[in-house]
Amino acid sequence: MSTASTPGVVRDAVDGPARTGPSGTAARTRAGARTAYPLYVAGKLGGAAVSLLAVLVTSFFLFRIVPGDPVRAMTHGVPTSAGQLATLRRQFGLDLPLWQQFTDYCAKALTGDLGTSYQFHAPVGELIAAKLPATLLLTGVAVVIYSALGLWLGTRSAWHHGGPGDRLNTGVALTLWSVPSFWLGLLLIIVFSVGIGPVPGMFPTGGMESGDTAGPARVLDVAHHMVLPVLTLVAVGYAQTLLVMRSSLLDEMGGDYLTTARAKGLRDDLVRRRHAVPNALLPTVTMVFINLGHVAGGSILVETVFSWPGLGGLFYQGLSVPDLPLVQGLFLVFAGVMIVMNLLADLLYPLLDPRVGR
């Protein structure tokens, strides 16, 4: 039969295997993966944008229901006439209809203008920038310590579950996770700052530095002030990380792939490090990125208890007035950082587990 009279046969002979053979299936799989991941990323970016919009709306209306009149709080103890109060309300835009206040707030926030603080009479952005280094120092050190400690102890507890070490680690973690951070901070101040019984006061009760040091002595002074607040954050944070990592790894330990790895003669520690732990990391990655979000957000309760001059203490000061532009700006920053960290964790998932995003 002439090939010229059967063009369909020729075409099938040339490109049929590409459509139906194993290589064609692999090509379609790769093409599907290339298409799926951009769609996955686009979906996550869209979700993050919606979340940021929701935070923008929430940050405005949430603090409008906080009891208290900002103008009267700012003029507390100062003789002020009704006309002067009205002038202040007009100056801060509090006499405008709520919808107009909201549109003005959104328009400014989207351009990076978080407004001017009522009590400090300074741009909120500048106040946040001034306090951010202290918060990054305190919570950054704490997050690095308790994330590493929680991952390590959680892995060991799960791998040797049921043993004395697992029971001890789990019991301590459950206890510390249930302890309020401000209560633990106050307890540490009483024991190690004030001193109780045979334990002398060894650490400052609060603040970031003594103010009369410079150079290396200043570094040691700041480190001395950091001990108790960092210890408070680590005690609570490591417990959560440990329990999440332990639970995730226990779910993986019954997998057939671990039995196969052992059957190949791999040592137990290699099975744990190369196979079990990487597959158990997804929930813990989310936890670690949330912890990184706390680096910028700080800890309001711990910073307040230890009088740490960071964003947490600034938020408490703003909330006590209430200083609406300040608390709105801080809330927006805190929530925005957490949303970005969650987004980064979601984008990292497909690199850890190729099944995600397909």
Side-chain angles (χ1 to χ4, degrees), residues 32-341:
R34 287 194 297 268
T35 305
Y37 186 68
L39 292 176
Y40 173 80
V41 171
K44 293 301 179 181
L45 289 174
V50 172
S51 298
L52 285 172
L53 180 61
V55 167
L56 193 65
V57 175
T58 304
S59 65
F60 177 82
F61 289 102
L62 178 64
F63 299 106
R64 290 301 190 282
I65 63 176
V66 175
D69 184 346
V71 173
R72 289 193 176 276
M74 285 185 291
T75 58
H76 180 70
V78 179
T80 310
S81 65
Q84 290 173 321
L85 291 175
T87 301
L88 287 174
R89 288 193 177 90
R90 191 180 311 110
Q91 177 183 344
F92 295 125
L94 297 174
D95 62 328
L96 298 174
L98 192 60
W99 67 267
Q100 189 172 348
Q101 294 183 44
F102 175 66
T103 55
D104 290 346
Y105 165 71
C106 290
K108 291 180 179 179
L110 292 175
T111 60
D113 182 2
L114 300 178
T116 301
S117 168
Y118 293 163
Q119 57 181 324
F120 296 106
H121 305 288
V124 171
E126 293 182 5
L127 293 173
I128 293 176
K131 298 291 185 179
L132 184 60
T135 289
L136 291 179
L137 176 63
L138 177 66
T139 55
V141 171
V143 164
V144 169
I145 294 174
Y146 71 63
S147 294
L149 186 63
L151 288 173
W152 178 62
L153 290 177
T155 300
R156 295 188 63 84
S157 291
W159 204 250
H160 304 287
H161 66 283
D166 176 40
R167 291 196 295 270
L168 176 62
N169 284 332
T170 304
V172 172
L174 286 171
T175 301
L176 291 175
W177 197 9
S178 62
V179 171
S181 58
F182 72 89
W183 182 85
L184 181 60
L186 291 173
L187 185 63
L188 291 177
I189 289 176
I190 292 173
V191 175
F192 296 107
S193 292
V194 178
I196 183 172
V199 181
M202 297 177 287
F203 300 100
T205 56
M208 183 176 174
E209 55 185 315
S210 302
D212 54 355
T213 56
R218 182 171 181 266
V219 175
L220 294 175
D221 183 45
V222 172
H224 190 219
H225 282 75
M226 286 177 60
V227 171
L228 294 185
V230 166
L231 182 59
T232 303
L233 292 172
V234 168
V236 177
Y238 107 91
Q240 187 177 17
T241 308
L242 182 151
L243 293 173
V244 171
M245 185 61 193
R246 178 182 181 275
S247 176
S248 180
L249 187 54
L250 284 175
D251 290 340
E252 296 291 333
M253 286 179 61
D256 294 337
Y257 68 95
L258 296 184
T259 303
T260 303
R262 291 190 181 96
K264 291 180 178 180
L266 293 179
R267 296 195 309 273
D268 198 56
D269 61 328
L270 290 179
V271 173
R272 182 181 68 245
R273 288 189 288 107
R274 292 184 181 179
H275 298 279
V277 171
N279 286 310
L281 277 178
L282 287 185
T284 313
V285 164
T286 300
M287 181 67 61
V288 169
F289 273 88
I290 290 176
N291 292 340
L292 291 175
H294 290 157
V295 172
S299 175
I300 297 172
L301 295 177
V302 172
E303 288 190 12
T304 302
V305 167
F306 288 96
S307 302
W308 190 263
L311 295 181
L314 184 64
F315 186 85
Y316 177 79
Q317 287 179 285
L319 196 60
S320 62
V321 172
D323 189 337
L324 296 179
L326 182 58
V327 294
Q328 287 172 178
L330 286 168
F331 182 83
L332 186 60
V333 170
F334 294 164
V337 170
M338 296 301 295
I339 291 172
V340 170
M341 289 296 112

